[in-house]
Amino acid sequence: MTQFLYGMNTMGFLVVSLFFWRFWRKSADPLFIAFSVAFFLFALYQLCHAIAAAPSMGYSWSFFLRLAGFGLLIYAVLRKNLK
């Protein structure tokens, strides 16, 4: 059951990533491409956990995918608002 939920989370993150990518193609706003890449990184993180079947989050190397995603979101929002 856990594998299925990890897969559903991965699919959800990929769908959100594709929506932001589509919005970026229409508006060319760098905020949207940053959000798209961040959600793609979140999808990769979920995929790593689905494949590895790791029951605990722990301090694994895949945690850095989440860290990079959140860092990218923070950077993009600050860049947009501080202009």
Side-chain angles (χ1 to χ4, degrees), residues 22-58:
R22 186 180 72 177
F23 295 147
W24 171 73
R25 289 195 49 166
K26 289 183 180 181
S27 70
D29 189 357
L31 182 69
F32 289 133
I33 195 67
F35 270 59
S36 177
V37 170
F39 278 101
F40 183 75
L41 289 173
F42 296 154
L44 284 178
Y45 173 76
Q46 287 293 327
L47 183 64
C48 289
H49 277 278
I51 291 172
S56 66
M57 297 302 245

Side-chain angles (χ1 to χ4, degrees), residues 5-80:
L5 293 176
Y6 280 138
M8 291 298 291
N9 280 341
T10 302
M11 184 207 55
F13 284 133
L14 286 175
V15 168
V16 172
S17 177
L18 288 174
F19 274 117
F20 279 119
W21 184 68
R22 186 180 72 177
F23 295 147
W24 171 73
R25 289 195 49 166
K26 289 183 180 181
S27 70
D29 189 357
L31 182 69
F32 289 133
I33 195 67
F35 270 59
S36 177
V37 170
F39 278 101
F40 183 75
L41 289 173
F42 296 154
L44 284 178
Y45 173 76
Q46 287 293 327
L47 183 64
C48 289
H49 277 278
I51 291 172
S56 66
M57 297 302 245
Y59 290 104
S60 66
W61 61 270
S62 65
F63 178 73
F64 290 109
L65 291 171
R66 271 183 83 182
L67 184 66
F70 282 117
L72 183 60
L73 289 176
I74 291 169
Y75 172 74
V77 169
L78 288 176
R79 183 173 175 232
K80 179 80 172 180

